[in-house]
Amino acid sequence: MARRAYVPSGKSDPGALPRLAVAAALAAVLGGLVLGFVSQWLSLLLIYPAALGAVIGGVGVSRVKSRHVRQPLAVALIGLGAGLLGETSLHLVKYARFRSELATMLNNNPGAAAYVEANGLDAAVDAALTEESATPPILGYLELAARNGVTITKAGHSSSSSKPTLTGVGVYALWVINFLIVCGIAVGMLVSEARKPFCEGCVGWYDATHPLAFGAGDSPTVKQAVLRLEGSQYAEAARNLGASDGKSATRLTLLGCAKCNAHEPLIELTRITGLKGNKPHEKKVFVSLISPSEAAQLRAATRPAPAS
Ligand SMILES: [Zn+2]
């Protein structure tokens, strides 16, 4: 009903996007090279794309934060491009390694000696990869890699003794899944950072959390509180939260800019469950922008009574 979502302004500091793109691309290439290098000893199936995505996302997020990037779509595209770059550099490292292994094999193969003598080792490797068809050698390598398959073992280590788990189409599907994992993690991290609330007047992220009330976390109380908040009865919602039973709780806060009173803060109702266990779970059940005057009234109404 009366929920007003925060919408990013689509602005950023001058030159922020190109810098972000360069940083993400460097992280992607470097991450891809390192993982491609490590992959000769360890096959980090599904772990490596997650790591690569986290590296790209982590480097990107720090730039989004410091350069005040409020452009979710642009950062999503940058994350996608960096993911593609990272995966490509990883495959290129594997390709280079395979070529050098193949070159050693051809050098030791008397049957290939005449061809190597006449055309050079590099051309012999190309010829071995393309099998006399017109496709580029790298595609020949990818085909060969897919045909040879990928072995998935429980420990995540490759084992030469067992048969490959995936071959052909399965390997291509795995590459697509890896790419999606890299991009999913990188894009997710970047977009969620670029969507964080920002004070356009002070040019700074919302960084001040003002507690309004702490209360019961049972369903009827939460439902009632959400209804009041949707009806813009913020002070009533704060007053009627009740008391936590120690198992669940609710927290009502204002998130805003510490430097000014002209911005619209976010009122947030968070439900916390599993307080007795060792893994409490928090979920925001209501989030809305409120006007500066509403926020000022609310702060005054919920101020704790001065000790007498
Ligand atoms: Zn401000």
Side-chain angles (χ1 to χ4, degrees):
M1 252 162 68
R3 272 178 221 231
R4 274 195 305 128
Y6 167 81
V7 181
S9 65
K11 293 177 187 164
S12 56
D13 291 357
L17 284 185
R19 277 165 214 244
L20 170 62
V22 168
L26 283 177
V29 171
L30 212 64
L33 294 182
V34 168
L35 287 169
F37 186 69
V38 170
S39 72
Q40 58 186 310
W41 302 293
L42 281 173
S43 106
L44 303 164
L45 280 162
L46 306 178
I47 300 169
Y48 96 74
L52 188 55
V55 165
I56 298 169
V59 168
V61 159
S62 75
R63 294 301 185 285
V64 168
K65 228 185 249 176
S66 64
R67 301 270 163 193
H68 303 142
V69 181
R70 291 97 78 196
Q71 292 155 293
L73 183 64
V75 302
L77 292 176
I78 287 173
L80 217 60
L84 191 61
L85 209 57
E87 279 291 274
T88 306
S89 35
L90 179 93
H91 280 288
L92 283 177
V93 172
K94 290 186 176 178
Y95 174 55
R97 190 162 59 232
F98 187 77
R99 279 189 76 100
S100 86
E101 282 166 8
L102 198 57
T104 312
M105 266 168 60
L106 288 172
N107 251 345
N108 298 332
N109 182 353
Y115 192 95
V116 173
E117 182 81 8
N119 302 284
L121 192 55
D122 230 32
V125 170
D126 283 350
L129 283 171
T130 54
E131 291 169 344
E132 284 162 11
S133 66
T135 53
I138 185 151
L139 291 185
Y141 156 71
L142 290 176
E143 261 179 58
L144 198 64
R147 224 183 303 147
N148 284 344
V150 173
T151 307
I152 299 171
T153 56
K154 272 197 185 134
H157 298 275
S158 66
S159 139
S160 50
S161 57
S162 53
K163 270 190 187 166
T165 317
L166 290 174
T167 52
V169 179
V171 174
Y172 291 118
L174 182 69
W175 288 340
V176 171
I177 290 169
N178 285 345
F179 172 66
L180 292 178
I181 293 174
V182 173
C183 290
I185 291 176
V187 169
M189 286 173 75
L190 287 168
V191 168
S192 89
E193 197 63 34
R195 287 176 54 85
K196 289 205 168 147
F198 190 87
C199 180
E200 298 294 328
C202 302
V203 193
W205 301 101
Y206 281 13
D207 50 2
T209 304
H210 179 93
L212 296 172
F214 190 80
D218 59 283
S219 294
T221 306
V222 171
K223 222 176 191 173
Q224 189 60 245
V226 168
L227 276 175
R228 287 198 169 101
L229 292 168
E230 281 175 343
S232 305
Q233 297 170 290
Y234 307 121
E236 284 82 346
R239 266 198 302 274
N240 294 296
L241 270 187
S244 169
D245 59 1
K247 289 183 214 149
S248 63
T250 46
R251 188 174 58 223
L252 189 65
T253 53
L254 278 182
L255 174 66
C257 169
K259 296 188 192 80
C260 75
N261 290 321
H263 67 285
E264 293 191 310
L266 283 166
I267 188 163
E268 299 184 330
L269 183 68
T270 307
R271 185 182 193 186
I272 309 149
T273 50
L275 279 173
K276 280 267 162 70
N278 46 13
K279 256 195 177 174
H281 176 75
E282 296 200 359
K283 190 185 174 202
K284 284 180 188 173
V285 288
F286 183 90
V287 178
S288 178
L289 288 173
I290 66 172
S291 74
S293 59
E294 282 174 320
Q297 281 172 24
L298 195 54
R299 284 199 193 92
T302 55
R303 193 166 294 149
S308 52

